[in-house]
Amino acid sequence: EGDAVAESLSKLQSLDDFYRQKDEHENDDRYGINSASSVAFARTGSAVLGRTPSLSSMQSLNRPNSVQGSARVTSLAVSAQYARVAARSLREARTLDTGEELACKVTVLRSLSPWSGGVNLENSIEKAYKDLIANARHYIRIENQFFVSGTAGKRVQNGIAEALVERISRAIRNRENFRVVVILPLLPSFPGSPLENAAMRLILHWQYATICRGSDSIYARIKPLTDHPEKYISFYGLRTWGQLPEGLCTEQVYVHGKLMIVDDRSFICGSANINDRSMLGSNDSEVAVLVEDCEETVNSLMFGRKWRAGKIAHAMRVRLDMTHLGLETSEIDEVLDPCSEAMLERMEETAQNNTLLYRDMFRCIPDDNVRDWNDLRSWHEGALVNEMPPEEVQEQLRSDSQGYLVQFPLQFLEEVALQVNWNEKEALLKPEVFL
């Protein structure tokens, strides 16, 4: 193991030396970014080339924190099965599917602290999120593994959801066209169901408290201003089906990305979840890139009006929408405007149809019809996959399902307390572990 680690460090140092630029750059102090230390990089949807330091899926060792400069970013690669972005090293970046490199402004952001990185506390990822949300003109797209933020209550400190509430409230008061789309995992990635898994219940509790349950939730804060908060912010999940040796089955497509696209002009992508652990800087160490698509633009639409979109951010959002909705290349015009009535209706119709189909065929959870523990225990009864011939089920799934988008079940287990019982091992942990 020692030899393997030494070899890996040697390769990383060689890459670092190879891509180090001779130019000196000024640090970006907009988000309180420190000037030293190494960073850890998890997964990303873009490959950065040029003056901004960034190593995909690697650790950058002793790299000067030249965090801002002009750079070139390749478009993302999307697999045939699902929009899973291929994280690649800088050497491989030129081999992405289009091979196109586009100039833009890139800033490296971090969550880092004295204990995790030997530097003063830095939460530039959270600051950048809040800054982009506050200055968004018309549209925000979020895809994240978690969604636990300050509207869940005083215990949660990060301000992402509060920034969303403030921006949406301003849009309502000023009668502005504004739309937020959030795509999350349908359930946290823990074994079993909420009935027997306390960790899953805790995450669900804090996420629902952030979104729609309690007086401080996003929906509760917006409802005094509009009867239809879902017109301004809506939540979705992803689901698919397949054939296993045991038979037909369904499973959520687990959203593991950490992405926010704003106005089809800029995006943040990196390793940071929307929760305190990732955003505050004092807990987990994270890294992300803020890409401001200001140099190369394309003609597009926003709420039916002409809009100059950034070429990279626009392409990223279009590809994700086409994959989630199951569209062919010939149907690309349907997703060029993320806020058109036709696009919003397509998303709602696809999500609703897929949700109803999976409900009838598999009786899968989570589901809005499952409100309490008794519902959960009996929910799987009556699934058509157990009553119809397998070939008929498969044919119906093939013909009636489209893409992966489903409704996020905001009423799932709303009549029970999703807290930890005193006799469960999770009760011994501080709540901050799950925030």
Side-chain angles (χ1 to χ4, degrees), residues 270-290:
S271 68
N273 295 310
I274 296 180
N275 58 17
D276 280 3
R277 289 186 56 158
S278 286
M279 289 294 172
L280 298 185
S282 55
N283 299 314
D284 296 351
S285 59
E286 310 285 3
V287 69
V289 288
L290 163 60

mmCIF file with all atom_site columns, all heavy atoms in Angstrom, residues 270-290:
data_model
loop_
_atom_site.group_PDB
_atom_site.id
_atom_site.type_symbol
_atom_site.label_atom_id
_atom_site.label_alt_id
_atom_site.label_comp_id
_atom_site.label_asym_id
_atom_site.label_entity_id
_atom_site.label_seq_id
_atom_site.pdbx_PDB_ins_code
_atom_site.Cartn_x
_atom_site.Cartn_y
_atom_site.Cartn_z
_atom_site.occupancy
_atom_site.B_iso_or_equiv
_atom_site.pdbx_formal_charge
_atom_site.auth_seq_id
_atom_site.auth_comp_id
_atom_site.auth_asym_id
_atom_site.auth_atom_id
_atom_site.pdbx_PDB_model_num
ATOM 1   N N   . GLY A 1 270 ? -19.390 20.769 -8.325  1.00 0.00 ? 270 GLY A N   1
ATOM 2   C CA  . GLY A 1 270 ? -18.278 20.284 -7.528  1.00 0.00 ? 270 GLY A CA  1
ATOM 3   C C   . GLY A 1 270 ? -18.699 19.171 -6.597  1.00 0.00 ? 270 GLY A C   1
ATOM 4   O O   . GLY A 1 270 ? -19.535 18.334 -6.955  1.00 0.00 ? 270 GLY A O   1
ATOM 5   N N   . SER A 1 271 ? -18.159 19.172 -5.395  1.00 0.00 ? 271 SER A N   1
ATOM 6   C CA  . SER A 1 271 ? -18.396 18.069 -4.456  1.00 0.00 ? 271 SER A CA  1
ATOM 7   C C   . SER A 1 271 ? -19.328 18.432 -3.314  1.00 0.00 ? 271 SER A C   1
ATOM 8   O O   . SER A 1 271 ? -19.631 17.589 -2.472  1.00 0.00 ? 271 SER A O   1
ATOM 9   C CB  . SER A 1 271 ? -17.057 17.599 -3.864  1.00 0.00 ? 271 SER A CB  1
ATOM 10  O OG  . SER A 1 271 ? -16.504 18.600 -3.025  1.00 0.00 ? 271 SER A OG  1
ATOM 11  N N   . ALA A 1 272 ? -19.818 19.669 -3.258  1.00 0.00 ? 272 ALA A N   1
ATOM 12  C CA  . ALA A 1 272 ? -20.536 20.156 -2.080  1.00 0.00 ? 272 ALA A CA  1
ATOM 13  C C   . ALA A 1 272 ? -22.031 19.877 -2.159  1.00 0.00 ? 272 ALA A C   1
ATOM 14  O O   . ALA A 1 272 ? -22.712 20.279 -3.103  1.00 0.00 ? 272 ALA A O   1
ATOM 15  C CB  . ALA A 1 272 ? -20.317 21.658 -1.904  1.00 0.00 ? 272 ALA A CB  1
ATOM 16  N N   . ASN A 1 273 ? -22.548 19.178 -1.145  1.00 0.00 ? 273 ASN A N   1
ATOM 17  C CA  . ASN A 1 273 ? -23.986 19.008 -0.998  1.00 0.00 ? 273 ASN A CA  1
ATOM 18  C C   . ASN A 1 273 ? -24.604 20.271 -0.415  1.00 0.00 ? 273 ASN A C   1
ATOM 19  O O   . ASN A 1 273 ? -23.918 21.101 0.176   1.00 0.00 ? 273 ASN A O   1
ATOM 20  C CB  . ASN A 1 273 ? -24.292 17.834 -0.068  1.00 0.00 ? 273 ASN A CB  1
ATOM 21  C CG  . ASN A 1 273 ? -23.831 16.513 -0.637  1.00 0.00 ? 273 ASN A CG  1
ATOM 22  O OD1 . ASN A 1 273 ? -24.124 16.188 -1.786  1.00 0.00 ? 273 ASN A OD1 1
ATOM 23  N ND2 . ASN A 1 273 ? -23.112 15.749 0.167   1.00 0.00 ? 273 ASN A ND2 1
ATOM 24  N N   . ILE A 1 274 ? -25.919 20.387 -0.568  1.00 0.00 ? 274 ILE A N   1
ATOM 25  C CA  . ILE A 1 274 ? -26.625 21.493 0.080   1.00 0.00 ? 274 ILE A CA  1
ATOM 26  C C   . ILE A 1 274 ? -27.020 21.033 1.475   1.00 0.00 ? 274 ILE A C   1
ATOM 27  O O   . ILE A 1 274 ? -28.105 20.518 1.730   1.00 0.00 ? 274 ILE A O   1
ATOM 28  C CB  . ILE A 1 274 ? -27.841 21.934 -0.746  1.00 0.00 ? 274 ILE A CB  1
ATOM 29  C CG1 . ILE A 1 274 ? -27.364 22.495 -2.097  1.00 0.00 ? 274 ILE A CG1 1
ATOM 30  C CG2 . ILE A 1 274 ? -28.639 22.998 0.005   1.00 0.00 ? 274 ILE A CG2 1
ATOM 31  C CD1 . ILE A 1 274 ? -28.484 22.963 -2.994  1.00 0.00 ? 274 ILE A CD1 1
ATOM 32  N N   . ASN A 1 275 ? -26.105 21.179 2.383   1.00 0.00 ? 275 ASN A N   1
ATOM 33  C CA  . ASN A 1 275 ? -26.312 20.920 3.810   1.00 0.00 ? 275 ASN A CA  1
ATOM 34  C C   . ASN A 1 275 ? -25.180 21.591 4.580   1.00 0.00 ? 275 ASN A C   1
ATOM 35  O O   . ASN A 1 275 ? -24.218 22.109 3.990   1.00 0.00 ? 275 ASN A O   1
ATOM 36  C CB  . ASN A 1 275 ? -26.391 19.417 4.111   1.00 0.00 ? 275 ASN A CB  1
ATOM 37  C CG  . ASN A 1 275 ? -25.162 18.643 3.679   1.00 0.00 ? 275 ASN A CG  1
ATOM 38  O OD1 . ASN A 1 275 ? -24.097 19.208 3.422   1.00 0.00 ? 275 ASN A OD1 1
ATOM 39  N ND2 . ASN A 1 275 ? -25.292 17.328 3.600   1.00 0.00 ? 275 ASN A ND2 1
ATOM 40  N N   . ASP A 1 276 ? -25.280 21.592 5.897   1.00 0.00 ? 276 ASP A N   1
ATOM 41  C CA  . ASP A 1 276 ? -24.265 22.262 6.711   1.00 0.00 ? 276 ASP A CA  1
ATOM 42  C C   . ASP A 1 276 ? -22.906 21.582 6.603   1.00 0.00 ? 276 ASP A C   1
ATOM 43  O O   . ASP A 1 276 ? -21.861 22.240 6.644   1.00 0.00 ? 276 ASP A O   1
ATOM 44  C CB  . ASP A 1 276 ? -24.706 22.302 8.172   1.00 0.00 ? 276 ASP A CB  1
ATOM 45  C CG  . ASP A 1 276 ? -25.700 23.414 8.449   1.00 0.00 ? 276 ASP A CG  1
ATOM 46  O OD1 . ASP A 1 276 ? -26.088 24.112 7.489   1.00 0.00 ? 276 ASP A OD1 1
ATOM 47  O OD2 . ASP A 1 276 ? -26.106 23.576 9.616   1.00 0.00 ? 276 ASP A OD2 1
ATOM 48  N N   . ARG A 1 277 ? -22.899 20.270 6.486   1.00 0.00 ? 277 ARG A N   1
ATOM 49  C CA  . ARG A 1 277 ? -21.635 19.545 6.438   1.00 0.00 ? 277 ARG A CA  1
ATOM 50  C C   . ARG A 1 277 ? -20.771 20.011 5.284   1.00 0.00 ? 277 ARG A C   1
ATOM 51  O O   . ARG A 1 277 ? -19.558 20.117 5.402   1.00 0.00 ? 277 ARG A O   1
ATOM 52  C CB  . ARG A 1 277 ? -21.898 18.039 6.351   1.00 0.00 ? 277 ARG A CB  1
ATOM 53  C CG  . ARG A 1 277 ? -22.447 17.442 7.619   1.00 0.00 ? 277 ARG A CG  1
ATOM 54  C CD  . ARG A 1 277 ? -22.558 15.946 7.542   1.00 0.00 ? 277 ARG A CD  1
ATOM 55  N NE  . ARG A 1 277 ? -21.276 15.311 7.221   1.00 0.00 ? 277 ARG A NE  1
ATOM 56  C CZ  . ARG A 1 277 ? -20.983 14.050 7.491   1.00 0.00 ? 277 ARG A CZ  1
ATOM 57  N NH1 . ARG A 1 277 ? -21.879 13.289 8.091   1.00 0.00 ? 277 ARG A NH1 1
ATOM 58  N NH2 . ARG A 1 277 ? -19.824 13.545 7.170   1.00 0.00 ? 277 ARG A NH2 1
ATOM 59  N N   . SER A 1 278 ? -21.408 20.317 4.154   1.00 0.00 ? 278 SER A N   1
ATOM 60  C CA  . SER A 1 278 ? -20.641 20.735 2.981   1.00 0.00 ? 278 SER A CA  1
ATOM 61  C C   . SER A 1 278 ? -20.451 22.235 2.884   1.00 0.00 ? 278 SER A C   1
ATOM 62  O O   . SER A 1 278 ? -19.447 22.700 2.350   1.00 0.00 ? 278 SER A O   1
ATOM 63  C CB  . SER A 1 278 ? -21.331 20.239 1.696   1.00 0.00 ? 278 SER A CB  1
ATOM 64  O OG  . SER A 1 278 ? -21.174 18.856 1.512   1.00 0.00 ? 278 SER A OG  1
ATOM 65  N N   . MET A 1 279 ? -21.410 23.008 3.368   1.00 0.00 ? 279 MET A N   1
ATOM 66  C CA  . MET A 1 279 ? -21.417 24.440 3.078   1.00 0.00 ? 279 MET A CA  1
ATOM 67  C C   . MET A 1 279 ? -20.707 25.311 4.110   1.00 0.00 ? 279 MET A C   1
ATOM 68  O O   . MET A 1 279 ? -20.174 26.369 3.755   1.00 0.00 ? 279 MET A O   1
ATOM 69  C CB  . MET A 1 279 ? -22.872 24.928 2.927   1.00 0.00 ? 279 MET A CB  1
ATOM 70  C CG  . MET A 1 279 ? -23.553 24.445 1.659   1.00 0.00 ? 279 MET A CG  1
ATOM 71  S SD  . MET A 1 279 ? -22.786 25.165 0.181   1.00 0.00 ? 279 MET A SD  1
ATOM 72  C CE  . MET A 1 279 ? -23.624 24.248 -1.118  1.00 0.00 ? 279 MET A CE  1
ATOM 73  N N   . LEU A 1 280 ? -20.685 24.906 5.358   1.00 0.00 ? 280 LEU A N   1
ATOM 74  C CA  . LEU A 1 280 ? -20.196 25.822 6.389   1.00 0.00 ? 280 LEU A CA  1
ATOM 75  C C   . LEU A 1 280 ? -18.687 25.979 6.396   1.00 0.00 ? 280 LEU A C   1
ATOM 76  O O   . LEU A 1 280 ? -18.161 26.962 6.926   1.00 0.00 ? 280 LEU A O   1
ATOM 77  C CB  . LEU A 1 280 ? -20.677 25.368 7.772   1.00 0.00 ? 280 LEU A CB  1
ATOM 78  C CG  . LEU A 1 280 ? -22.185 25.336 7.985   1.00 0.00 ? 280 LEU A CG  1
ATOM 79  C CD1 . LEU A 1 280 ? -22.506 25.001 9.424   1.00 0.00 ? 280 LEU A CD1 1
ATOM 80  C CD2 . LEU A 1 280 ? -22.826 26.662 7.574   1.00 0.00 ? 280 LEU A CD2 1
ATOM 81  N N   . GLY A 1 281 ? -17.969 25.013 5.857   1.00 0.00 ? 281 GLY A N   1
ATOM 82  C CA  . GLY A 1 281 ? -16.511 25.085 5.850   1.00 0.00 ? 281 GLY A CA  1
ATOM 83  C C   . GLY A 1 281 ? -15.877 24.478 7.080   1.00 0.00 ? 281 GLY A C   1
ATOM 84  O O   . GLY A 1 281 ? -14.719 24.074 7.047   1.00 0.00 ? 281 GLY A O   1
ATOM 85  N N   . SER A 1 282 ? -16.614 24.396 8.181   1.00 0.00 ? 282 SER A N   1
ATOM 86  C CA  . SER A 1 282 ? -16.057 23.884 9.438   1.00 0.00 ? 282 SER A CA  1
ATOM 87  C C   . SER A 1 282 ? -16.207 22.374 9.570   1.00 0.00 ? 282 SER A C   1
ATOM 88  O O   . SER A 1 282 ? -15.694 21.789 10.525  1.00 0.00 ? 282 SER A O   1
ATOM 89  C CB  . SER A 1 282 ? -16.758 24.561 10.617  1.00 0.00 ? 282 SER A CB  1
ATOM 90  O OG  . SER A 1 282 ? -18.163 24.397 10.531  1.00 0.00 ? 282 SER A OG  1
ATOM 91  N N   . ASN A 1 283 ? -16.892 21.741 8.621   1.00 0.00 ? 283 ASN A N   1
ATOM 92  C CA  . ASN A 1 283 ? -17.122 20.303 8.704   1.00 0.00 ? 283 ASN A CA  1
ATOM 93  C C   . ASN A 1 283 ? -16.355 19.589 7.577   1.00 0.00 ? 283 ASN A C   1
ATOM 94  O O   . ASN A 1 283 ? -15.144 19.518 7.610   1.00 0.00 ? 283 ASN A O   1
ATOM 95  C CB  . ASN A 1 283 ? -18.622 20.015 8.639   1.00 0.00 ? 283 ASN A CB  1
ATOM 96  C CG  . ASN A 1 283 ? -19.366 20.659 9.791   1.00 0.00 ? 283 ASN A CG  1
ATOM 97  O OD1 . ASN A 1 283 ? -18.950 20.581 10.929  1.00 0.00 ? 283 ASN A OD1 1
ATOM 98  N ND2 . ASN A 1 283 ? -20.476 21.311 9.493   1.00 0.00 ? 283 ASN A ND2 1
ATOM 99  N N   . ASP A 1 284 ? -17.078 19.065 6.604   1.00 0.00 ? 284 ASP A N   1
ATOM 100 C CA  . ASP A 1 284 ? -16.421 18.372 5.494   1.00 0.00 ? 284 ASP A CA  1
ATOM 101 C C   . ASP A 1 284 ? -15.661 19.360 4.614   1.00 0.00 ? 284 ASP A C   1
ATOM 102 O O   . ASP A 1 284 ? -16.095 20.501 4.426   1.00 0.00 ? 284 ASP A O   1
ATOM 103 C CB  . ASP A 1 284 ? -17.457 17.643 4.634   1.00 0.00 ? 284 ASP A CB  1
ATOM 104 C CG  . ASP A 1 284 ? -18.176 16.546 5.400   1.00 0.00 ? 284 ASP A CG  1
ATOM 105 O OD1 . ASP A 1 284 ? -17.746 16.245 6.528   1.00 0.00 ? 284 ASP A OD1 1
ATOM 106 O OD2 . ASP A 1 284 ? -19.159 16.006 4.877   1.00 0.00 ? 284 ASP A OD2 1
ATOM 107 N N   . SER A 1 285 ? -14.546 18.914 4.061   1.00 0.00 ? 285 SER A N   1
ATOM 108 C CA  . SER A 1 285 ? -13.824 19.735 3.079   1.00 0.00 ? 285 SER A CA  1
ATOM 109 C C   . SER A 1 285 ? -14.404 19.455 1.694   1.00 0.00 ? 285 SER A C   1
ATOM 110 O O   . SER A 1 285 ? -14.677 18.317 1.336   1.00 0.00 ? 285 SER A O   1
ATOM 111 C CB  . SER A 1 285 ? -12.328 19.416 3.104   1.00 0.00 ? 285 SER A CB  1
ATOM 112 O OG  . SER A 1 285 ? -12.089 18.049 2.827   1.00 0.00 ? 285 SER A OG  1
ATOM 113 N N   . GLU A 1 286 ? -14.634 20.512 0.922   1.00 0.00 ? 286 GLU A N   1
ATOM 114 C CA  . GLU A 1 286 ? -15.240 20.395 -0.403  1.00 0.00 ? 286 GLU A CA  1
ATOM 115 C C   . GLU A 1 286 ? -14.552 21.340 -1.374  1.00 0.00 ? 286 GLU A C   1
ATOM 116 O O   . GLU A 1 286 ? -13.876 22.286 -0.966  1.00 0.00 ? 286 GLU A O   1
ATOM 117 C CB  . GLU A 1 286 ? -16.738 20.763 -0.353  1.00 0.00 ? 286 GLU A CB  1
ATOM 118 C CG  . GLU A 1 286 ? -17.550 20.078 0.728   1.00 0.00 ? 286 GLU A CG  1
ATOM 119 C CD  . GLU A 1 286 ? -17.854 18.622 0.425   1.00 0.00 ? 286 GLU A CD  1
ATOM 120 O OE1 . GLU A 1 286 ? -17.394 18.106 -0.608  1.00 0.00 ? 286 GLU A OE1 1
ATOM 121 O OE2 . GLU A 1 286 ? -18.561 17.999 1.240   1.00 0.00 ? 286 GLU A OE2 1
ATOM 122 N N   . VAL A 1 287 ? -14.763 21.088 -2.658  1.00 0.00 ? 287 VAL A N   1
ATOM 123 C CA  . VAL A 1 287 ? -14.254 21.988 -3.689  1.00 0.00 ? 287 VAL A CA  1
ATOM 124 C C   . VAL A 1 287 ? -15.269 22.051 -4.816  1.00 0.00 ? 287 VAL A C   1
ATOM 125 O O   . VAL A 1 287 ? -16.006 21.094 -5.063  1.00 0.00 ? 287 VAL A O   1
ATOM 126 C CB  . VAL A 1 287 ? -12.876 21.531 -4.228  1.00 0.00 ? 287 VAL A CB  1
ATOM 127 C CG1 . VAL A 1 287 ? -12.977 20.254 -5.025  1.00 0.00 ? 287 VAL A CG1 1
ATOM 128 C CG2 . VAL A 1 287 ? -12.224 22.639 -5.054  1.00 0.00 ? 287 VAL A CG2 1
ATOM 129 N N   . ALA A 1 288 ? -15.374 23.180 -5.466  1.00 0.00 ? 288 ALA A N   1
ATOM 130 C CA  . ALA A 1 288 ? -16.283 23.357 -6.597  1.00 0.00 ? 288 ALA A CA  1
ATOM 131 C C   . ALA A 1 288 ? -15.688 24.393 -7.532  1.00 0.00 ? 288 ALA A C   1
ATOM 132 O O   . ALA A 1 288 ? -14.759 25.125 -7.173  1.00 0.00 ? 288 ALA A O   1
ATOM 133 C CB  . ALA A 1 288 ? -17.662 23.803 -6.114  1.00 0.00 ? 288 ALA A CB  1
ATOM 134 N N   . VAL A 1 289 ? -16.226 24.434 -8.744  1.00 0.00 ? 289 VAL A N   1
ATOM 135 C CA  . VAL A 1 289 ? -15.854 25.492 -9.676  1.00 0.00 ? 289 VAL A CA  1
ATOM 136 C C   . VAL A 1 289 ? -17.078 26.328 -9.996  1.00 0.00 ? 289 VAL A C   1
ATOM 137 O O   . VAL A 1 289 ? -18.177 25.796 -10.184 1.00 0.00 ? 289 VAL A O   1
ATOM 138 C CB  . VAL A 1 289 ? -15.231 24.948 -10.988 1.00 0.00 ? 289 VAL A CB  1
ATOM 139 C CG1 . VAL A 1 289 ? -13.841 24.407 -10.734 1.00 0.00 ? 289 VAL A CG1 1
ATOM 140 C CG2 . VAL A 1 289 ? -16.119 23.891 -11.633 1.00 0.00 ? 289 VAL A CG2 1
ATOM 141 N N   . LEU A 1 290 ? -16.895 27.619 -10.015 1.00 0.00 ? 290 LEU A N   1
ATOM 142 C CA  . LEU A 1 290 ? -17.901 28.548 -10.514 1.00 0.00 ? 290 LEU A CA  1
ATOM 143 C C   . LEU A 1 290 ? -17.492 28.933 -11.920 1.00 0.00 ? 290 LEU A C   1
ATOM 144 O O   . LEU A 1 290 ? -16.423 29.517 -12.123 1.00 0.00 ? 290 LEU A O   1
ATOM 145 C CB  . LEU A 1 290 ? -17.987 29.785 -9.618  1.00 0.00 ? 290 LEU A CB  1
ATOM 146 C CG  . LEU A 1 290 ? -18.694 31.019 -10.208 1.00 0.00 ? 290 LEU A CG  1
ATOM 147 C CD1 . LEU A 1 290 ? -20.135 30.694 -10.560 1.00 0.00 ? 290 LEU A CD1 1
ATOM 148 C CD2 . LEU A 1 290 ? -18.620 32.190 -9.241  1.00 0.00 ? 290 LEU A CD2 1
#
